[in-house]
Amino acid sequence: MHLVVLGAHCGDGEIQAGAIAHKYAKAGHEVTFVHLTAGEKGNPKDISVEDYRLQKIEESEKAASILGAKTITLDYKDAELAFNDEIVTRVATLMRKLRPNVVITHWEQSIHPDHALCPRIVQAAQLKSGLPGFDLDGLPAHYYGFYHSENWEDMEGYVPDLFIDVSDEFDTYLEALSQYWFVMNSTSFRYYDYYKALGTVRGCVNRTKYAQTLKFPTGTNVRKGSIIPGYEL
């Protein structure tokens, strides 16, 4: 199995689903974090945007190493993402190369425009990657499923469908998060405290020590059949 976690900025995928990613990496599956941008415009006042971009890519590599994953950062500019055929084709081509079974990305609604674009890009790329009629660098067609994960900026309408026990992975997850300067030093939001508390709260609901959540794309949580799922006649 290959799990891809695709986020708008370096750090998004890790905070949203890093513990889930580590759980699958530990089990021997391939895991890749894909960042559309580095998230460089949140630079500290004493670091230039370009230097912070390089710093965040380095931080993403350290975090991925701790989680047992690979990491890819594309060269789109932070806070300047646009939904167009160029980015859809590029992501679709990358998905044909990586051939993930499943992609985890942002929820559909967000206060951050870059975040809100990600699920649109992932869904459009899902179709373009999956249809053999598109010639993408001669790569064979590949169709993948996807889920949304939980980010404090993406909470409007986010009601979890899946709770995943990450009790054994959570300490490593927190270690990975601590590689990011913004997680540990942001004065605008207490990232580390929030995600540690969120894992605890979701764990309470899951009846485990810690948990992370996922959500089906809108409409795909419907199950069709002749019986109640899990209750054979």
Side-chain angles (χ1 to χ4, degrees):
M1 176 176 173
H2 189 178
L3 170 65
V4 166
V5 183
L6 187 147
H9 317 104
C10 290
D12 285 335
E14 293 92 331
I15 60 180
Q16 293 173 205
I20 294 172
H22 182 50
K23 189 181 186 91
Y24 280 83
K26 280 199 322 180
H29 301 291
E30 188 174 2
V31 177
T32 304
F33 289 97
V34 175
H35 316 290
L36 298 184
T37 84
E40 68 276 4
K41 291 195 174 75
N43 56 308
K45 62 182 180 180
D46 58 338
I47 301 177
S48 69
V49 169
E50 181 54 34
D51 285 346
Y52 190 51
R53 178 181 182 275
L54 297 175
Q55 177 181 316
K56 288 202 72 179
I57 292 173
E58 183 178 350
E59 291 168 346
S60 75
E61 291 168 349
K62 291 178 180 177
S65 178
I66 291 169
L67 295 171
K70 299 175 183 177
T71 182
I72 298 170
T73 302
L74 302 184
D75 55 3
Y76 295 103
K77 294 182 178 180
D78 181 21
E80 298 182 38
L81 283 180
F83 183 80
N84 53 45
D85 186 63
E86 186 277 330
I87 195 169
V88 169
T89 299
R90 188 170 180 187
V91 171
T93 303
L94 180 59
M95 293 303 108
R96 283 192 180 183
K97 290 177 181 176
L98 296 177
R99 304 189 70 78
N101 302 81
V102 66
V103 175
I104 296 174
T105 191
H106 293 271
W107 172 232
E108 299 167 351
Q109 301 181 67
S110 177
I111 62 174
H112 197 308
D114 284 358
H115 292 199
L117 284 176
C118 277
R120 294 181 62 197
I121 293 167
V122 166
Q123 187 170 32
Q126 177 194 51
L127 182 65
K128 197 161 195 176
S129 174
L131 290 176
F134 288 105
D135 181 7
L136 303 178
D137 293 347
L139 296 164
H142 177 73
Y143 190 84
Y144 55 86
F146 72 95
Y147 293 94
H148 306 285
S149 53
E150 196 165 1
N151 187 300
W152 77 271
E153 294 176 287
D154 310 347
M155 294 308 295
E156 183 181 350
Y158 184 94
V159 179
D161 293 313
L162 301 173
F163 289 74
I164 298 173
D165 179 11
V166 291
S167 301
D168 293 338
E169 294 75 33
F170 208 74
D171 286 345
T172 304
Y173 160 72
L174 293 177
E175 181 186 355
L177 293 196
S178 71
Q179 304 307 305
Y180 279 102
W181 180 92
F182 79 91
V183 170
M184 306 307 293
N185 297 282
S186 173
T187 57
S188 62
F189 190 79
R190 291 163 53 193
Y191 287 90
Y192 188 89
D193 292 343
Y194 178 86
Y195 286 99
K196 183 177 182 180
L198 181 63
T200 302
V201 169
R202 294 311 193 192
C204 290
V205 176
N206 197 46
R207 308 299 196 271
T208 58
K209 188 173 182 181
Y210 297 110
Q212 286 188 319
T213 71
L214 298 173
K215 185 170 180 60
F216 291 109
T218 299
T220 64
N221 59 341
V222 174
R223 296 293 177 265
K224 299 177 181 179
S226 60
I227 61 169
I228 300 172
Y231 295 90
E232 301 293 336
L233 292 174

